[in-house]
Amino acid sequence: MLILDPGTQPLSNAEVLAHIQSLDAKYARDGRTETIPDNLRKVMRDVKSILTIPTQPTCPVDTAPLVTEAQKAAAPTFRSERVFAALARRLRAKPFSLLPAEILQVFNHVPRSRTELTMIVQEGEERFAEEVLDQCLDVIREIMVEGRGLDVVNGNGV
Amino acid sequence: MFVLTTISDLVRITPQDFRKPSIEAIEDNINRKYANKVIQNVGLCICFWELLKASEGLIGQSDGMVNVNVVFRAIVFRPFKGEIIQGVILEGSTAEGLRIGLDFFSDIWIPGPGNLFEGSRFTFRDDEHVWIWTTEDGTEFFYDRNEPVRFRVEAEVWHDHTPQKPKITGLTSSEGTENDESLESRDVPYTIIGSMDQAGLGPIVWWEEAPEEEEDAMGGVDEMEE
């Protein structure tokens, strides 16, 4: 065994969950559910279970128990792959200029309050003014919850 | 918390698997070898992602197995330092710290009270030992079992379990006991050390904005509508 690349390409939780769900569908379609190795079955089940707890943004809204209408309306959408590209483009540009690791964590946690955003962004309170933090939260909500701004070809120059 | 790792390996397909399409046999073989296993200094392998290269299968002498040299990518769990992750508090918390788990990975330690909010202590309450954070104004917040929490990754600890040559000096085999973390009494291959001492970390319910005032929501940080 030789490790050619120890892991320079990160994956978001949504991509991993989507991959595991597609594997489930493939195995069910091909009738391989009983023949896959036990360790694979266990790790797939466990990764799905932790990524779908109600506090995770990747929790499927329609199957989550005890979810109010307001929470359903505020749930992020991961249906389109362009969501990540659009979000990354807006957050990399000025006035945010977030690092790639921070953009990945925004996608994984979908911060909705200033506390959550400063938790993810290193030294957020020193780097950005409060209005810029609020603007960042608005961009996140606009793209990930409301699904707007996905078809912009050139950046809006926020 | 997941990355893609590129690995090159030799896959040996048994004759029982010859009736499967090659890609299926290779994928099952890789998953059997790598899924849910820790590779030292790389991380915990989750599953096969995609095949990049596969050579022709060569049948070995005398055993009939088909040997294929493959290059593939696999999903690996390895959070980077400073990453914020969601987990669940497990049982097994002691005076030395809290134990957090993701369902597929249970070896995350939050040493206490240093890596918890200031004012946290381990006490006996309601017939069990629990960590409690007492704020300056006297409000108590509990680190309850099975509570979803957010924590920051601070360090990772690796223990290599590959068999070593036996030592001839007469010492016992547990020579690697100069652990950096005194709570590392279990020799697991991959441990993550975390912290929950910043705003937004710790149990998620503490930081939720409630429409009505809840008794265990944090005041003063998230404004609640009166």
Side-chain angles (χ1 to χ4, degrees), chain B:
Chain B
M1 45 186 182
F2 299 102
V3 291
L4 277 179
T5 298
T6 310
I7 302 174
S8 157
D9 201 356
L10 177 72
V11 165
R12 308 188 73 214
I13 303 176
T14 59
Q16 291 92 316
D17 292 339
F18 284 175
R19 68 186 122 101
K20 294 184 197 173
S22 320
I23 179 63
E24 224 177 89
I26 291 173
E27 188 182 329
D28 282 348
N29 210 293
I30 289 172
N31 280 324
R32 191 174 307 120
K33 181 172 177 184
Y34 288 93
N36 211 15
K37 305 268 169 52
V38 171
I39 303 180
Q40 285 292 307
N41 296 312
V42 173
L44 172 72
C45 283
I46 305 293
C47 68
F48 173 86
W49 175 265
E50 65 177 355
L51 189 66
L52 298 176
K53 266 196 263 189
S55 70
E56 280 185 9
L58 300 172
I59 300 180
Q61 289 276 356
S62 79
D63 61 5
M65 307 252 269
V66 171
N67 300 303
V68 186
N69 281 304
V70 296
V71 177
F72 64 95
R73 289 205 292 185
I75 303 176
V76 168
F77 168 71
R78 188 183 187 180
F80 53 86
K81 183 163 184 271
E83 184 172 359
I84 311 289
I85 295 181
Q86 256 194 51
V88 171
I89 296 181
L90 300 177
E91 35 179 67
S93 303
T94 66
E96 286 166 346
L98 277 169
R99 197 161 148 247
I100 309 282
L102 308 165
D103 291 352
F104 59 92
F105 186 76
S106 307
D107 298 308
I108 301 171
W109 272 104
I110 314 283
N115 284 17
L116 296 171
F117 286 106
E118 201 165 322
S120 300
R121 65 192 193 292
F122 190 61
T123 50
F124 194 74
R125 186 75 64 90
D126 296 334
D127 298 333
E128 60 177 344
H129 282 103
V130 69
W131 278 91
I132 303 176
W133 173 39
T134 312
T135 57
E136 286 161 353
D137 54 4
T139 325
E140 286 187 332
F141 293 97
F142 290 75
Y143 293 90
D144 287 322
R145 205 171 346 143
N146 299 325
E147 191 70 48
V149 299
R150 279 192 287 248
F151 63 94
R152 189 184 331 107
V153 172
E154 300 291 349
E156 45 190 28
V157 181
W158 302 94
H159 280 104
D160 196 347
H161 283 219
T162 42
Q164 305 292 333
K165 271 190 335 193
K167 299 211 180 289
I168 41 178
T169 55
L171 289 174
T172 61
S173 59
S174 58
E175 70 107 25
T177 48
E178 74 282 346
N179 292 321
D180 294 334
E181 298 297 328
S182 57
L183 13 128
E184 192 36 64
S185 54
R186 301 163 297 134
D187 220 10
V188 292
Y190 180 32
T191 304
I192 291 175
I193 309 293
S195 71
M196 296 200 294
D197 57 1
Q198 193 196 338
L201 301 180
I204 294 172
V205 290
W206 293 2
W207 305 99
E208 268 169 0
E209 285 180 353
E212 300 98 23
E213 200 165 7
E214 299 268 355
E215 61 201 339
D216 55 5
M218 273 291 285
V221 179
D222 297 333
E223 299 307 316
M224 277 167 287
E225 295 156 58
E226 295 284 352

Side-chain angles (χ1 to χ4, degrees), chain A residues 21-50:
Chain A
Q21 285 167 340
S22 73
L23 282 185
D24 274 341
K26 181 175 81 171
Y27 294 147
R29 197 181 54 234
D30 297 344
R32 287 163 67 184
T33 324
E34 301 301 319
T35 56
I36 57 173
D38 282 340
N39 48 338
L40 175 69
R41 192 178 300 131
K42 177 179 186 309
V43 81
M44 278 170 56
R45 185 195 66 215
D46 291 342
V47 170
K48 263 189 307 192
S49 74
I50 192 67

Side-chain angles (χ1 to χ4, degrees), chain A residues 84-120:
Chain A
F84 194 17
L87 186 71
R89 193 170 47 236
R90 290 285 289 274
L91 294 180
R92 258 200 310 265
K94 293 189 182 322
F96 311 121
S97 304
L98 291 188
L99 303 169
E102 292 166 346
I103 298 176
L104 177 72
Q105 290 192 82
V106 162
F107 199 66
N108 281 343
H109 292 281
V110 191
R112 287 200 181 80
S113 67
R114 228 185 268 165
T115 317
E116 291 177 4
L117 187 60
T118 48
M119 174 184 76
I120 289 171

